[in-house]
Amino acid sequence: TVVFDGAGGLIVFDTGRHAAHTDEIIDYAHARDLPIVAIFNSHWHLDHVGGNARLRKAYPGARVHASGAIEQAMQGFLAKYRAQIEQILAKPDGDAAQKAVLRDELALIDAGPALYPDERIERSGVQTIAGRRVQVGLETRAVTAGDVWLFDPATRTLAAGDLVTLPAPLFDTACPARWQAALGHLAKVDFERLVPGHGAPLTRAQFATWRTAFDHLLACSASKAA
């Protein structure tokens, strides 16, 4: 999660998966004595949208900005995942702690529209959100069907979501070639620090290293090398 100051309110980029994570966002807003006025979701993976419903309940005026890809995922990937969870929970044996975690996952999926955007991001562009001028990027069919990144020129901070994940990229919902092209778009942004979807913030040089490794991984996987 990345939180930016807006005019009289906070802009939250990604909301986490677990209640404890989302509670930290709410506690931060309380400590600042500022409401959350806007939420951006980088993509529909549950660890990035899972806190939406709780934040909306705490701050009913907050507007969620994201691509519409989550609605398709609810009928596809997440529907299959839900069925897998139900099969595991139906077994009489199994680890009780794991089952508790999976019930939480079911609750997130079943939140449905509470995770959906109020404002659909359909193209890249510059926007003013809560008085703060930001660059919003949309990459289609990269990590997911719609991946959003947010660049704040005032601090030169780029929130990249899972377009960058440490230590390694995860391809379970991804198109490798489109993801590779998206990294080229990020490289053109004048950022000083890049906040990945997983891992510590990166400098430009560190991002360049990660991007080079990504290119090498795709080249190797496309080759006949062992």
Side-chain angles (χ1 to χ4, degrees):
T1 295
V2 186
V3 182
F4 298 95
D5 283 357
L10 302 175
I11 303 166
V12 174
F13 185 87
D14 284 341
T15 60
R17 183 187 222 114
H18 304 295
H21 183 126
T22 310
D23 285 344
E24 287 196 30
I25 302 172
I26 295 171
D27 289 346
Y28 177 77
H30 288 168
R32 293 291 309 281
D33 196 23
L34 289 170
I36 294 169
V37 296
I39 297 166
F40 280 80
N41 291 139
S42 59
H43 61 296
W44 56 261
H45 289 174
L46 294 179
D47 54 334
H48 294 260
V49 303
N52 284 14
R54 288 173 64 83
L55 290 186
R56 278 177 152 148
K57 184 177 181 180
Y59 296 96
R63 303 286 288 176
V64 175
H65 303 251
S67 81
I70 188 171
E71 297 175 40
Q72 176 186 350
M74 280 289 186
Q75 305 305 315
F77 186 95
L78 289 174
K80 293 177 182 177
Y81 178 41
R82 192 186 192 289
Q84 291 169 351
I85 292 174
E86 287 185 322
Q87 288 177 2
I88 296 171
L89 292 177
K91 295 178 180 179
D93 54 352
D95 181 80
Q98 181 198 25
K99 286 191 172 184
V101 170
L102 291 176
R103 289 189 189 97
D104 288 342
E105 293 285 90
L106 278 186
L108 289 182
I109 297 171
D110 290 346
L115 307 180
Y116 293 3
D118 302 301
E119 309 287 344
R120 285 194 179 202
I121 298 171
E122 297 181 344
R123 62 184 61 85
S124 299
V126 176
Q127 298 183 35
T128 299
I129 305 292
R132 195 174 191 103
R133 193 168 175 81
V134 294
Q135 183 179 349
V136 179
L138 175 65
E139 307 294 340
T140 56
R141 293 177 284 118
V143 178
T144 67
D147 298 289
V148 173
W149 50 265
L150 191 69
F151 175 61
D152 176 49
T155 60
R156 294 181 65 197
T157 299
L158 172 59
D162 279 6
L163 290 166
V164 179
T165 59
L166 300 179
L170 302 174
F171 291 96
D172 54 346
T173 62
C175 170
R178 297 279 298 186
W179 190 347
Q180 189 174 39
L183 294 178
H185 301 158
L186 294 184
K188 294 178 181 178
V189 178
D190 184 30
F191 67 85
E192 180 176 309
R193 71 183 61 80
L194 182 151
V195 183
H198 298 267
L202 304 177
T203 64
R204 292 196 69 88
Q206 289 170 328
F207 168 68
T209 299
W210 192 89
R211 184 185 174 202
T212 298
F214 187 100
D215 291 343
H216 288 175
L217 174 62
L218 295 198
C220 181
S221 65
S223 76
K224 295 181 180 180

